[in-house]
Amino acid sequence: MQEIGKVVWSFPLFETYEEKERFFKVLGLLVSHQITFEKAAELLKLDKEKLAFLLDLLEIDYSFLDEEEANLEKEAVKKLLEELKSENSL
């Protein structure tokens, strides 16, 4: 856990430890597709353009799906999994 603290403290953006920690947590949620890009910007209190610029600078891949697109994608995956499951049971 000490190593994580060193990384957070040495991160050059944001001033307080809490701001830096929030950034890393939100970043983890974003890249693992648990939240949308818009939600990440909201949680970080950044406009979407600034967040996109920041992530591009850090060379971090992310998803531009909005809430509706994310829900559609989840439904498509769910449907595909159900189809595969039914094919396997034949």
Side-chain angles (χ1 to χ4, degrees):
M1 185 71 172
Q2 266 185 341
E3 291 301 314
I4 293 172
K6 287 180 184 179
V7 170
V8 172
W9 271 116
S10 66
F11 191 67
L13 299 174
F14 307 106
E15 293 184 19
T16 68
Y17 184 87
E18 289 78 20
E19 290 172 322
K20 294 172 189 233
E21 184 178 45
R22 179 184 306 149
F23 174 75
F24 283 110
K25 286 178 180 178
V26 171
L27 183 61
L29 293 170
L30 177 63
V31 299
S32 65
H33 302 285
Q34 295 182 44
I35 60 173
T36 63
F37 181 80
E38 288 77 12
K39 187 64 174 178
E42 177 187 327
L43 291 169
L44 293 171
K45 300 177 180 135
L46 295 172
D47 62 48
K48 292 184 279 189
E49 292 78 19
K50 286 181 183 175
L51 179 56
F53 179 74
L54 176 61
L55 295 177
D56 284 341
L57 280 176
L58 297 170
E59 298 180 6
I60 296 172
D61 291 328
Y62 53 91
S63 174
F64 270 117
L65 298 179
D66 64 21
E67 195 78 31
E68 183 179 341
E69 291 170 324
N71 288 333
L72 289 172
E73 188 170 293
K74 287 178 187 176
E75 287 300 315
V77 169
K78 183 178 177 182
K79 183 178 177 183
L80 178 60
L81 290 173
E82 289 171 359
E83 289 173 6
L84 291 172
K85 186 187 281 185
S86 66
E87 285 178 9
N88 286 336
S89 65
L90 294 177

